[in-house]
Amino acid sequence: MDYARMCALAEDLGAFAEGLEGAWRVEIGPEGPSLALRCRPKRHAGIVRRLREQVDRQLRATHPDHICASPHIEHPTLGRMLHPDLAVVPETALDEDGPGVDASQVPASAEVAVAADGRPAAFAAMGIAHYLIVDPRTGTIEVHSDPCKGRYARKDAYIFGDTVPFGPWLIDTADFRRYGKAGS
């Protein structure tokens, strides 16, 4: 199936999901368009906000025309469209037509509490240079970098409380909170 047809199906799925309860995500993966329920604790939003604020502050020095946002990222040649929690994108890309930001314009993306199986490879295949996974269930962070032949050549592991290098940025995780840990 060609990418334009998959985008049309994804758009139809998105319209269908608007009538459903809950927060739904539409993506295009190797099997085509898919619809997934996003059920997240409030702490998810807190971590995404902290990530966004920290990277946004540092972008002024490293990528002054970029911002942190949460758009779909697409790679039409691969037939993929993913929706991370956060991506570093040129601000002007958000004013363009189309379903997503072209992956070639995205130097980094991040996700909180994802089932990591397959996700790093999908972002590596799209050429995203830096991919961060924060897992509040375990209090761990993975930083993937150096995409090569559909996978990341490097993966570095950290725990909550560490200062984490993420591309040219540093992420202070001291205020990140684990799921289910009251008072922590």
Side-chain angles (χ1 to χ4, degrees), residues 156-174:
D156 297 301
Y158 301 90
I159 60 171
F160 282 18
D162 289 345
T163 298
V164 176
F166 176 45
W169 314 289
L170 291 174
I171 307 300
D172 178 0
T173 67

PDB file of all heavy atoms in Angstrom, residues 156-174:
ATOM      1  N   ASP A 156      22.813   4.264  25.932  1.00  0.00           N
ATOM      2  CA  ASP A 156      23.344   4.544  27.260  1.00  0.00           C
ATOM      3  C   ASP A 156      22.200   4.534  28.262  1.00  0.00           C
ATOM      4  O   ASP A 156      21.125   5.066  27.998  1.00  0.00           O
ATOM      5  CB  ASP A 156      24.045   5.907  27.280  1.00  0.00           C
ATOM      6  CG  ASP A 156      25.246   5.927  26.337  1.00  0.00           C
ATOM      7  OD1 ASP A 156      26.149   5.100  26.528  1.00  0.00           O
ATOM      8  OD2 ASP A 156      25.255   6.766  25.408  1.00  0.00           O
ATOM      9  N   ALA A 157      22.439   3.929  29.429  1.00  0.00           N
ATOM     10  CA  ALA A 157      21.415   3.781  30.456  1.00  0.00           C
ATOM     11  C   ALA A 157      21.701   4.687  31.650  1.00  0.00           C
ATOM     12  O   ALA A 157      22.862   4.868  32.037  1.00  0.00           O
ATOM     13  CB  ALA A 157      21.350   2.329  30.913  1.00  0.00           C
ATOM     14  N   TYR A 158      20.621   5.239  32.215  1.00  0.00           N
ATOM     15  CA  TYR A 158      20.704   6.128  33.375  1.00  0.00           C
ATOM     16  C   TYR A 158      19.547   5.810  34.311  1.00  0.00           C
ATOM     17  O   TYR A 158      18.631   5.076  33.949  1.00  0.00           O
ATOM     18  CB  TYR A 158      20.624   7.598  32.930  1.00  0.00           C
ATOM     19  CG  TYR A 158      21.728   7.969  31.968  1.00  0.00           C
ATOM     20  CD1 TYR A 158      21.546   7.832  30.597  1.00  0.00           C
ATOM     21  CD2 TYR A 158      22.951   8.428  32.434  1.00  0.00           C
ATOM     22  CE1 TYR A 158      22.560   8.154  29.714  1.00  0.00           C
ATOM     23  CE2 TYR A 158      23.972   8.760  31.551  1.00  0.00           C
ATOM     24  CZ  TYR A 158      23.771   8.620  30.195  1.00  0.00           C
ATOM     25  OH  TYR A 158      24.779   8.928  29.326  1.00  0.00           O
ATOM     26  N   ILE A 159      19.585   6.397  35.502  1.00  0.00           N
ATOM     27  CA  ILE A 159      18.482   6.263  36.446  1.00  0.00           C
ATOM     28  C   ILE A 159      18.004   7.652  36.849  1.00  0.00           C
ATOM     29  O   ILE A 159      18.735   8.647  36.685  1.00  0.00           O
ATOM     30  CB  ILE A 159      18.885   5.452  37.702  1.00  0.00           C
ATOM     31  CG1 ILE A 159      20.037   6.122  38.447  1.00  0.00           C
ATOM     32  CG2 ILE A 159      19.213   4.017  37.328  1.00  0.00           C
ATOM     33  CD1 ILE A 159      20.329   5.497  39.804  1.00  0.00           C
ATOM     34  N   PHE A 160      16.774   7.720  37.376  1.00  0.00           N
ATOM     35  CA  PHE A 160      16.238   8.989  37.849  1.00  0.00           C
ATOM     36  C   PHE A 160      17.199   9.573  38.878  1.00  0.00           C
ATOM     37  O   PHE A 160      17.689   8.868  39.760  1.00  0.00           O
ATOM     38  CB  PHE A 160      14.860   8.800  38.469  1.00  0.00           C
ATOM     39  CG  PHE A 160      13.740   8.640  37.463  1.00  0.00           C
ATOM     40  CD1 PHE A 160      13.977   8.297  36.147  1.00  0.00           C
ATOM     41  CD2 PHE A 160      12.439   8.844  37.852  1.00  0.00           C
ATOM     42  CE1 PHE A 160      12.946   8.155  35.226  1.00  0.00           C
ATOM     43  CE2 PHE A 160      11.385   8.710  36.948  1.00  0.00           C
ATOM     44  CZ  PHE A 160      11.647   8.362  35.639  1.00  0.00           C
ATOM     45  N   GLY A 161      17.457  10.859  38.761  1.00  0.00           N
ATOM     46  CA  GLY A 161      18.403  11.547  39.620  1.00  0.00           C
ATOM     47  C   GLY A 161      19.675  11.918  38.879  1.00  0.00           C
ATOM     48  O   GLY A 161      20.376  12.847  39.270  1.00  0.00           O
ATOM     49  N   ASP A 162      19.978  11.194  37.786  1.00  0.00           N
ATOM     50  CA  ASP A 162      21.168  11.492  36.985  1.00  0.00           C
ATOM     51  C   ASP A 162      20.946  12.734  36.129  1.00  0.00           C
ATOM     52  O   ASP A 162      19.809  13.080  35.781  1.00  0.00           O
ATOM     53  CB  ASP A 162      21.486  10.326  36.034  1.00  0.00           C
ATOM     54  CG  ASP A 162      22.012   9.089  36.728  1.00  0.00           C
ATOM     55  OD1 ASP A 162      22.419   9.195  37.910  1.00  0.00           O
ATOM     56  OD2 ASP A 162      22.006   8.014  36.093  1.00  0.00           O
ATOM     57  N   THR A 163      22.040  13.370  35.752  1.00  0.00           N
ATOM     58  CA  THR A 163      22.016  14.369  34.687  1.00  0.00           C
ATOM     59  C   THR A 163      22.372  13.612  33.411  1.00  0.00           C
ATOM     60  O   THR A 163      23.431  12.996  33.321  1.00  0.00           O
ATOM     61  CB  THR A 163      23.020  15.503  34.958  1.00  0.00           C
ATOM     62  OG1 THR A 163      22.626  16.155  36.169  1.00  0.00           O
ATOM     63  CG2 THR A 163      23.038  16.506  33.824  1.00  0.00           C
ATOM     64  N   VAL A 164      21.453  13.640  32.460  1.00  0.00           N
ATOM     65  CA  VAL A 164      21.521  12.761  31.297  1.00  0.00           C
ATOM     66  C   VAL A 164      21.898  13.551  30.044  1.00  0.00           C
ATOM     67  O   VAL A 164      21.172  14.465  29.649  1.00  0.00           O
ATOM     68  CB  VAL A 164      20.151  12.065  31.097  1.00  0.00           C
ATOM     69  CG1 VAL A 164      20.152  11.212  29.839  1.00  0.00           C
ATOM     70  CG2 VAL A 164      19.794  11.238  32.325  1.00  0.00           C
ATOM     71  N   PRO A 165      23.017  13.191  29.394  1.00  0.00           N
ATOM     72  CA  PRO A 165      23.338  13.815  28.105  1.00  0.00           C
ATOM     73  C   PRO A 165      22.404  13.267  27.025  1.00  0.00           C
ATOM     74  O   PRO A 165      22.252  12.047  26.874  1.00  0.00           O
ATOM     75  CB  PRO A 165      24.781  13.422  27.853  1.00  0.00           C
ATOM     76  CG  PRO A 165      25.060  12.256  28.738  1.00  0.00           C
ATOM     77  CD  PRO A 165      24.044  12.260  29.837  1.00  0.00           C
ATOM     78  N   PHE A 166      21.768  14.171  26.314  1.00  0.00           N
ATOM     79  CA  PHE A 166      20.813  13.824  25.252  1.00  0.00           C
ATOM     80  C   PHE A 166      21.162  14.701  24.061  1.00  0.00           C
ATOM     81  O   PHE A 166      20.782  15.862  24.008  1.00  0.00           O
ATOM     82  CB  PHE A 166      19.390  14.066  25.758  1.00  0.00           C
ATOM     83  CG  PHE A 166      18.297  13.845  24.751  1.00  0.00           C
ATOM     84  CD1 PHE A 166      18.271  12.739  23.929  1.00  0.00           C
ATOM     85  CD2 PHE A 166      17.251  14.751  24.652  1.00  0.00           C
ATOM     86  CE1 PHE A 166      17.244  12.538  23.020  1.00  0.00           C
ATOM     87  CE2 PHE A 166      16.211  14.565  23.758  1.00  0.00           C
ATOM     88  CZ  PHE A 166      16.207  13.461  22.941  1.00  0.00           C
ATOM     89  N   GLY A 167      21.939  14.163  23.135  1.00  0.00           N
ATOM     90  CA  GLY A 167      22.456  14.984  22.040  1.00  0.00           C
ATOM     91  C   GLY A 167      23.289  16.102  22.639  1.00  0.00           C
ATOM     92  O   GLY A 167      24.074  15.879  23.566  1.00  0.00           O
ATOM     93  N   PRO A 168      23.092  17.347  22.183  1.00  0.00           N
ATOM     94  CA  PRO A 168      23.858  18.467  22.727  1.00  0.00           C
ATOM     95  C   PRO A 168      23.275  19.040  24.018  1.00  0.00           C
ATOM     96  O   PRO A 168      23.762  20.038  24.529  1.00  0.00           O
ATOM     97  CB  PRO A 168      23.804  19.502  21.602  1.00  0.00           C
ATOM     98  CG  PRO A 168      22.518  19.219  20.897  1.00  0.00           C
ATOM     99  CD  PRO A 168      22.313  17.723  21.004  1.00  0.00           C
ATOM    100  N   TRP A 169      22.241  18.402  24.564  1.00  0.00           N
ATOM    101  CA  TRP A 169      21.542  18.925  25.735  1.00  0.00           C
ATOM    102  C   TRP A 169      21.811  18.063  26.959  1.00  0.00           C
ATOM    103  O   TRP A 169      22.186  16.910  26.857  1.00  0.00           O
ATOM    104  CB  TRP A 169      20.033  18.992  25.460  1.00  0.00           C
ATOM    105  CG  TRP A 169      19.749  19.591  24.119  1.00  0.00           C
ATOM    106  CD1 TRP A 169      19.898  20.901  23.755  1.00  0.00           C
ATOM    107  CD2 TRP A 169      19.302  18.902  22.946  1.00  0.00           C
ATOM    108  NE1 TRP A 169      19.579  21.059  22.429  1.00  0.00           N
ATOM    109  CE2 TRP A 169      19.204  19.844  21.901  1.00  0.00           C
ATOM    110  CE3 TRP A 169      18.985  17.582  22.672  1.00  0.00           C
ATOM    111  CZ2 TRP A 169      18.796  19.522  20.619  1.00  0.00           C
ATOM    112  CZ3 TRP A 169      18.581  17.247  21.385  1.00  0.00           C
ATOM    113  CH2 TRP A 169      18.489  18.216  20.385  1.00  0.00           C
ATOM    114  N   LEU A 170      21.555  18.629  28.130  1.00  0.00           N
ATOM    115  CA  LEU A 170      21.636  17.890  29.386  1.00  0.00           C
ATOM    116  C   LEU A 170      20.265  17.910  30.043  1.00  0.00           C
ATOM    117  O   LEU A 170      19.651  18.973  30.171  1.00  0.00           O
ATOM    118  CB  LEU A 170      22.668  18.520  30.327  1.00  0.00           C
ATOM    119  CG  LEU A 170      24.122  18.392  29.896  1.00  0.00           C
ATOM    120  CD1 LEU A 170      25.021  19.185  30.846  1.00  0.00           C
ATOM    121  CD2 LEU A 170      24.554  16.930  29.855  1.00  0.00           C
ATOM    122  N   ILE A 171      19.799  16.753  30.473  1.00  0.00           N
ATOM    123  CA  ILE A 171      18.498  16.625  31.113  1.00  0.00           C
ATOM    124  C   ILE A 171      18.717  16.312  32.589  1.00  0.00           C
ATOM    125  O   ILE A 171      19.319  15.289  32.934  1.00  0.00           O
ATOM    126  CB  ILE A 171      17.656  15.496  30.466  1.00  0.00           C
ATOM    127  CG1 ILE A 171      17.551  15.679  28.951  1.00  0.00           C
ATOM    128  CG2 ILE A 171      16.290  15.403  31.129  1.00  0.00           C
ATOM    129  CD1 ILE A 171      16.895  16.970  28.512  1.00  0.00           C
ATOM    130  N   ASP A 172      18.229  17.181  33.455  1.00  0.00           N
ATOM    131  CA  ASP A 172      18.286  16.963  34.896  1.00  0.00           C
ATOM    132  C   ASP A 172      17.047  16.163  35.282  1.00  0.00           C
ATOM    133  O   ASP A 172      15.926  16.635  35.133  1.00  0.00           O
ATOM    134  CB  ASP A 172      18.311  18.304  35.627  1.00  0.00           C
ATOM    135  CG  ASP A 172      18.325  18.169  37.137  1.00  0.00           C
ATOM    136  OD1 ASP A 172      18.313  17.032  37.650  1.00  0.00           O
ATOM    137  OD2 ASP A 172      18.335  19.214  37.811  1.00  0.00           O
ATOM    138  N   THR A 173      17.253  14.942  35.768  1.00  0.00           N
ATOM    139  CA  THR A 173      16.122  14.069  36.083  1.00  0.00           C
ATOM    140  C   THR A 173      15.811  14.006  37.577  1.00  0.00           C
ATOM    141  O   THR A 173      15.019  13.170  38.011  1.00  0.00           O
ATOM    142  CB  THR A 173      16.379  12.638  35.550  1.00  0.00           C
ATOM    143  OG1 THR A 173      17.468  12.056  36.271  1.00  0.00           O
ATOM    144  CG2 THR A 173      16.686  12.649  34.062  1.00  0.00           C
ATOM    145  N   ALA A 174      16.404  14.905  38.358  1.00  0.00           N
ATOM    146  CA  ALA A 174      16.206  14.882  39.818  1.00  0.00           C
ATOM    147  C   ALA A 174      14.735  15.020  40.207  1.00  0.00           C
ATOM    148  O   ALA A 174      14.308  14.457  41.220  1.00  0.00           O
ATOM    149  CB  ALA A 174      17.031  15.980  40.477  1.00  0.00           C
TER     150      ALA A 174
END
